[in-house]
């Protein structure tokens, strides 16, 4: 078993506060380059060597979205992979485009530990009985879910956590970087508290913060929302200016990042934003979905959400603000690089899932009709 | 032994912007001051063409079209042209440099990317074919064996002769509303000029790495227009009232009304980070405090000003202005 390597924390250059004397004309060499610890990355292109030994890996979750892709990659790498789930969803499902042979191979190797992760006693006893080298926590939401896992596995080599860029404090200075302020009051504060707990325990942890994830099997109506409307030939109602900038990351690229941090000493106690390399405006996303799925350019209607009462329904699946994060750290430190650009990724999602007639949520155009109804009235 | 390159820097003469004139060109003249200072600090010899505060560099006056004459036959390793906007202005300099055996030609271009649905602009993205700078970039690539191009955006820093933060401060200190066209969500890059100069210096010191590369010469954070207004007000310790308007509806020329482009104008300095190992240090909240101090020091907060276009905007929106 690989032993834990204590690595000096790679400090990222934070927004430094320079003394004001550096800005006057003294001819002194600016100190900034000395403060900057970034070197030209030699690791670029040379992927971190993954652990040559096969690991005994536990995935909390793994049957719904990210874990479906991650577990396959890990099994392919030769690791022993166990999924901890309540068993509500099938442990394995054949993916569109996956060959029968590959699926059979995967199904024969994947293991299942049935249980409820909220039953902390069961978690502790079952995990300590089995013993695992590495835990991927894909569906954890609250810090109290993590403690029993750590207690059960004192020799754990690495705890790899799926966090969220939703922890960042809203700011006018973008993109978000891993050193940015976080929001202890956000909807994702459970993720933050989990990261803090991991930091406080003597465990080798790594946390990945995705933005909006998309791809085949997505259960969050991100691309699905646009595809429903495009398929129905309906206009796309987008709040306010439509120039709000967001960011989508393909699930397969996220799964690859999860694999790249496994046994990677550069990932020790590090947080990484993982998402697409380019961001996109709301209007741009509507156009990208149309392009990916082979629909004509959509009719976009902008509206002021304040003029409507949608009740409990969400009229638009994204936060009405700029929200995107830089993935420079993962690229530079891990040598990770997304395979999918936005249109290619949306096409992958459409061709393997939504374009085949499958979807998670039924189309519901009631909020659209409210918006469009009012728009028509105004035009008349 | 490392021979520090002998650099010639062509400086763009800018004029102080006055309210009644339209926007002028040459907003990145200030880069040169910092660049020269940085190079001199690193032990390079620098000759600056046109005026500059002396920091140990040699200054020559002249018309860039006759640069050879102006430098009196001196030889240089590196030429940085921060003056030319099109092939007409740059060609004489480039040709002279080529003929005079200059090894590395650096050109300060402009933000000439084509609008995109997918920000940020990164090096390699399509540029507007019609922009004058594009012709220059092509020509330099043809005739020099070692060259690099830098595309800056907006900047702050002492000596900048194009209004940036001043535009916001003028209104905030006079307790006037700040009229911003559109939604105010437009993202742009506003970098402290020292970031640009450190990038240029790294290119001079790493010519092989920089060769044939295009660099977005910006900091690594963008700011919204609303955000910039708020940060300027915070730096001044004052409240701010932002008013949004549609320039077409009001019937004014948005270029005259507001010093920033009414759209996302957002690039990231990925090439500089990847290739030169460069880091950004711009910290707008902190840097703007220093800019505000200087704004007050030169007495601009007390200077009588007219806000004709603002008044027209505010009147059309029926927004009162406190006297």
């Amino acid at each position: 078993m690989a032993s834990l390597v204590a690595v000096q924390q790679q400090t990222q250059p934070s927004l430094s506060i320079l003394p004001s004397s550096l800005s006057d004309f003294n001819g002194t060499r600016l100190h900034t380059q000395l403060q900057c610890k970034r070197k030209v990355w030699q690791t670029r292109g040379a992927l971190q060597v993954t652990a040559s030994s096969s690991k005994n890996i536990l995935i909390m979750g793994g049957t719904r979205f990210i874990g479906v892709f991650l577990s396959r990659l890990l099994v392919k790498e030769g690791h022993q992979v166990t999924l901890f789930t309540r068993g509500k969803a099938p442990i394995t499902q054949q993916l569109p485009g996956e060959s029968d042979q590959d699926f059979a191979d995967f199904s024969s190797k994947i293991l299942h530990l049935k249980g409820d992760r909220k039953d902390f006693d069961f978690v502790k006893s079952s995990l300590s009985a089995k013993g695992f080298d590495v835990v991927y926590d894909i569906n954890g939401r609250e810090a109290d879910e993590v403690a029993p896992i750590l207690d059960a596995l004192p020799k754990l080599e690495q705890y790899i956590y799926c966090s969220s860029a939703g922890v960042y404090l809203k700011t006018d200075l973008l993109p978000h970087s891993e050193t940015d302020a976080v929001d202890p009051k956000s909807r994702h504060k459970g993720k933050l508290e989990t990261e803090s707990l991991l930091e406080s325990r003597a465990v080798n942890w790594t946390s990945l913060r995705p933005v909006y994830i998309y791809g085949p099997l997505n259960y969050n109506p991100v691309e699905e929302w646009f595809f429903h409307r495009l398929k129905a030939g309906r206009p796309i109602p987008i709040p306010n200016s439509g120039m709000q900038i967001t960011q989508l990351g393909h699930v397969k690229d996220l799964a690859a990042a999860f694999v790249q941090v496994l046994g990677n000493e550069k990932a020790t106690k590090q947080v990484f934003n993982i998402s697409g390399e380019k961001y996109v405006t709301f209007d741009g996303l509507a156009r990208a979905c149309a392009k990916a799925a082979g629909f004509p350019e959509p009719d976009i209607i902008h509206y002021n959400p304040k003029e409507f009462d949608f009740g409990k329904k969400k009229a638009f699946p994204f936060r009405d603000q700029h929200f995107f994060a830089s993935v420079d750290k993962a690229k530079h430190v891990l040598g990770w690089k997304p395979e999918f650009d936005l249109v290619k990724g949306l096409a992958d999602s459409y061709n393997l899932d939504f374009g085949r007639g499958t979807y998670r949520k039924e189309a519901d155009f009631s909020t659209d009709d409210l918006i469009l109804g009012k728009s028509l009235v105004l035009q008349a | 032994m490392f021979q520090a390159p002998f650099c010639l820097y062509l400086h763009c003469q800018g004029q102080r912007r006055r309210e009644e004139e339209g926007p002028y060109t040459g907003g990145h003249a200030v880069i040169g001051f910092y660049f020269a200072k940085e190079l001199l600090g690193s032990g390079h010899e620098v000759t600056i063409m046109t005026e500059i505060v002396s920091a140990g560099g040699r200054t020559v006056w002249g018309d860039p079209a006759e640069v050879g004459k102006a430098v009196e036959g001196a030889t240089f390793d590196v030429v940085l042209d921060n003056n030319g906007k099109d092939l007409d202005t740059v060609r004489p300099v480039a040709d002279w440099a080529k003929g005079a055996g200059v090894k590395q030609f650096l050109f300060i271009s402009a933000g000439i990317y084509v609008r995109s649905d997918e920000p940020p602009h990164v090096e390699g993205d399509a540029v507007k074919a019609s922009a004058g700078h594009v012709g220059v970039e092509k020509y330099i690539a043809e005739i020099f064996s070692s060259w690099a191009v830098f595309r800056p955006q907006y900047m702050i820093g002492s000596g900048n002769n194009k209004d940036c933060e001043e535009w916001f401060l003028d209104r905030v200190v006079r307790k006037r509303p700040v009229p911003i066209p559109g939604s105010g969500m437009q993202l742009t890059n506003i970098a402290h000029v020292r970031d640009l100069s450190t990038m240029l210096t790294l290119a001079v010191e790493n010519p092989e790495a920089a060769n044939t590369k295009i660099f977005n010469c910006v900091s690594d954070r963008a700011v919204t227009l609303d955000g910039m207004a708020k940060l300027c007000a915070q730096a001044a310790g004052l409240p701010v009232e932002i008013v949004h308007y549609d320039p077409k509806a009001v019937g004014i020329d948005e270029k005259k009304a507001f010093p920033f482009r009414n759209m996302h104008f957002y690039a990231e300095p990925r090439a500089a980070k990847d290739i030169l190992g460069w880091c950004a240090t711009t910290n707008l909240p902190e840097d703007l405090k220093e800019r505000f101090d200087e704004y007050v020091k030169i007495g601009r907060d007390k200077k009588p000003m007219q806000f004709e276009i603002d008044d027209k905007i505010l009147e059309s929106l029926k927004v009162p202005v406190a006297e």
Side-chain angles (χ1 to χ4, degrees), chain A residues 21-22 24-31, chain B residues 37-38 41:
Chain A
S21 63
L22 291 176
D24 63 20
F25 293 82
N26 275 342
T28 48
R29 178 90 168 97
L30 294 179
H31 293 325
Chain B
K37 182 172 78 94
E38 171 109 22

Side-chain angles (χ1 to χ4, degrees), chain B residues 286-302:
Chain B
E286 287 303 313
D287 291 332
L288 286 171
K289 284 189 192 146
E290 191 192 288
R291 301 304 313 132
F292 176 67
D293 288 344
E294 188 170 317
Y295 176 89
V296 168
K297 205 161 112 183
I298 61 173
R300 183 157 163 172
D301 58 332
K302 304 275 188 292

Side-chain angles (χ1 to χ4, degrees), chain B residues 113 120-122 151 153 188-189 216 218-219 222 265-269:
Chain B
Y113 291 104
H121 294 302
V122 299
R151 295 181 182 150
Q153 292 196 235
T188 190
N189 283 97
N216 287 335
V218 294
S219 77
F265 182 37
Y266 169 29
E268 279 187 7

